[in-house]
Amino acid sequence: ALLDGLRRQKTVDRCVEVFHWAEEQELIMTSHHYVHILSIYKERREWQKAFELFAKIKERGAHKDIYIFSTMISICNKAKKSQWASTIFDEMIACGIEPNVVTYSSLISACANGATPQSAVFRFQQMLELNIEPNSFTISAYFTACEKGYMWPEALE
């Protein structure tokens, strides 16, 4: 609750300080805490810090959470690291976490905005095969990928 309140007050520096203090005290951190800090790093475009924290989260075995994976995929999207987004998505699957429309949308957007629009089309088709219903964000990312990859026949299917 303290981290939520601090974040809402836009005192993100203090929020990060409290988080690091809690880690030093070896307090139990939940995925909720991690997602908040990762989101702060995303907002600040501090990609390296986000990936360092993700590595720590994995060392602690606390990464097996769809929200952490979704946040990391979204960070990859903002950082224009589509390959990293795909790797994290595949790691999520390997952990036994089933993707949802949010994780697929973030991944498709990362691929569309990065250098791999063909991967976005592949992931969109994969999502449909799993009977995951796309939302407007997914459709928009898919059309962006088709446009960037000159794949309009795929977009019209």
Side-chain angles (χ1 to χ4, degrees):
L2 175 62
L3 289 177
D4 286 335
L6 290 171
R7 188 164 189 263
R8 270 186 245 116
Q9 295 173 17
K10 297 187 187 245
T11 55
V12 292
D13 289 334
R14 184 71 179 131
C15 187
V16 172
E17 288 174 22
V18 169
F19 174 79
H20 289 300
W21 173 84
E23 278 192 317
E24 289 171 9
Q25 301 303 312
E26 297 182 7
L27 298 177
I28 296 172
M29 306 303 273
T30 67
S31 63
H32 182 73
H33 298 120
Y34 290 127
V35 166
H36 275 295
I37 299 303
L38 289 169
S39 296
I40 288 169
Y41 290 149
K42 176 182 155 187
E43 290 168 18
R44 292 178 165 186
R45 300 186 183 282
E46 293 177 338
W47 320 129
Q48 188 61 36
K49 288 183 180 180
F51 284 99
E52 288 170 4
L53 179 56
F54 186 56
K56 283 184 187 177
I57 293 168
K58 290 193 315 187
E59 285 174 15
R60 295 179 182 137
H63 66 291
K64 297 179 181 179
D65 179 275
I66 195 162
Y67 300 108
I68 289 174
F69 279 108
S70 293
T71 302
M72 286 306 301
I73 293 167
S74 179
I75 288 169
C76 293
N77 181 17
K78 292 287 184 189
K80 306 270 190 249
K81 302 289 185 186
S82 59
Q83 284 301 116
W84 293 0
S86 292
T87 299
I88 290 170
F89 183 87
D90 292 339
E91 185 178 339
M92 180 187 80
I93 301 293
C95 286
I97 299 171
E98 291 187 24
N100 60 23
V101 67
V102 173
T103 52
Y104 264 111
S105 295
S106 292
L107 177 61
I108 291 165
S109 182
C111 294
N113 291 326
T116 56
Q118 296 82 2
S119 293
V121 172
F122 169 77
R123 295 298 189 162
F124 183 80
Q125 292 167 345
Q126 184 181 50
M127 181 179 123
L128 294 178
E129 289 171 10
L130 293 172
N131 294 318
I132 298 173
E133 190 74 28
N135 60 24
S136 60
F137 183 78
T138 319
I139 299 295
S140 178
Y142 175 71
F143 284 153
T144 298
C146 290
E147 179 182 11
K148 285 185 176 182
Y150 303 103
M151 298 176 281
W152 284 111
E154 286 86 345
L156 299 174
E157 288 180 6

